[in-house]
Amino acid sequence: MGSKRVHSSLLRRHTNTDSLRRKRVSEGKWSIATAILPGQLTIAFGMFGVIVALPNIITAFETDVQTVQWVMTGYLVARVLPMPAMGWLASQFGQRNLYVLGVLGTTVSTVLCGLAWNVESLIVFRVVQGLVGASVMSLGMVMLYEAFPPEQRGLAMGLFIMVASLGPTLGQSIGGYLVQQYSWRAIFFLALPSGVLGTVLPLTRLPRTLPVTEKTIDVPGLCTMTIFLVALLLALSQGQQYGWTSGYILGLFGITSVFLGLFIVTELRVAH
């Protein structure tokens, strides 16, 4: 009888411990999710919300469609540039630190876009917005994926995509109303609340990761990849404007092909 009571007591203790562990894991994953998702909403606003304001920007700055198109093209090209080096950057600064810097930089540059004094300054701030925000979506997806257990990672990616889709939905509906009623500048301040939350919450809810300085970077591969990706993106985004058979667009596709080949050759030869 005594051994049965001891066994029953140990079993209850094990069950309680396992239950507490599962509860902590559950609370931890949702804590991380609420820290990461506001940053994703900020990026989504910045990526798509400005589209509804482009006609008003043309009028306000007395510019043309070809120039104002760089408000979008410059942002998209700038987002591509840091992505191949994201693993190395995370190892140098720490995953959480790089993510917080990305959200903070995106928030500040978004506000600067709303304060732009001419179309040139707006394009510059959009390029900065793309550069600093490149880490937010890629690292946010990784951290959210890792926070959930394997059987719930589909749920994690569903949450990520759902919040990302709110950007074009809310940005173009609410943003369109703000642009019509107030000013094109209002579209950039729409992301300010989520940007503040996305900067503050990760500092208190995400685990701090230490830099790993010995991690190396493949500089030739990074350079060749960057050139072919930028050339390809410029060709695809400007093909309709200049004509798909124009010398400029064909030249960009030529650069894309050459540097894609160089990238493949480089990656077959480097150790890392």
Side-chain angles (χ1 to χ4, degrees):
M1 291 294 291
S3 62
K4 289 183 178 180
R5 283 197 297 269
V6 170
H7 179 73
S8 178
S9 177
L10 290 174
L11 183 62
R12 284 197 302 271
R13 186 180 301 175
H14 175 75
T15 302
N16 292 336
T17 302
D18 190 55
S19 177
L20 288 173
R21 185 186 61 81
R22 288 198 300 267
K23 183 178 179 181
R24 283 195 296 267
V25 170
S26 179
E27 291 174 350
K29 69 186 179 186
W30 291 114
S31 178
I32 291 174
T34 55
I36 290 174
L37 294 178
Q40 307 312 309
L41 186 59
T42 304
I43 289 293
F45 276 142
M47 193 183 305
F48 299 106
V50 69
I51 294 175
V52 297
L54 293 180
N56 299 70
I57 293 173
I58 293 174
T59 303
F61 290 139
E62 298 180 352
T63 185
D64 52 40
V65 174
Q66 288 74 22
T67 301
V68 85
Q69 186 180 18
W70 279 98
V71 173
M72 289 300 300
T73 303
Y75 174 85
L76 293 174
V77 170
R79 279 196 68 219
V80 170
L81 294 178
M83 284 191 174
M86 202 55 62
W88 179 80
L89 289 171
S91 71
Q92 300 301 301
F93 296 98
Q95 200 174 59
R96 188 195 70 172
N97 293 342
L98 185 60
Y99 180 81
V100 171
L101 286 174
V103 180
L104 176 61
T106 300
T107 305
V108 172
S109 57
T110 301
V111 172
L112 290 175
C113 287
L115 301 175
W117 51 91
N118 54 35
V119 70
E120 290 79 13
S121 63
L122 177 59
I123 292 171
V124 169
F125 293 142
R126 284 284 289 173
V127 170
V128 174
Q129 187 183 31
L131 285 172
V132 298
S135 65
V136 178
M137 184 166 288
S138 53
L139 290 182
M141 181 181 293
V142 170
M143 290 189 290
L144 191 63
Y145 183 86
E146 293 177 344
F148 281 71
E151 67 274 11
Q152 292 186 328
R153 284 172 177 168
L155 170 63
M157 294 300 96
L159 289 171
F160 186 91
I161 294 171
M162 181 189 71
V163 172
S165 67
L166 286 176
T169 303
L170 296 179
Q172 296 185 32
S173 55
I174 300 176
Y177 172 80
L178 293 174
V179 169
Q180 183 177 7
Q181 296 297 319
Y182 299 100
S183 168
W184 63 267
R185 299 179 186 274
I187 195 72
F188 292 104
F189 296 103
L190 184 62
L192 189 55
S194 62
V196 173
L197 285 175
T199 301
V200 174
L201 291 179
L203 291 173
T204 59
R205 299 189 177 189
L206 296 184
R208 184 180 180 182
T209 52
L210 297 176
V212 184
T213 54
E214 66 269 14
K215 190 169 183 178
T216 59
I217 185 172
D218 170 24
V219 176
L222 176 63
C223 293
T224 51
M225 174 184 273
T226 298
I227 293 173
F228 94 72
L229 284 177
V230 170
L232 177 62
L233 183 57
L234 286 173
L236 294 176
S237 62
Q238 297 183 330
Q240 187 173 2
Q241 176 185 343
Y242 289 95
W244 294 104
T245 57
S246 65
Y248 172 62
I249 298 300
L250 292 178
L252 287 174
F253 280 126
I255 293 172
T256 299
S257 301
V258 169
F259 279 91
L260 175 58
L262 290 174
F263 169 72
I264 293 173
V265 171
T266 300
E267 294 309 296
L268 290 175
R269 296 182 176 181
V270 295
H272 301 283

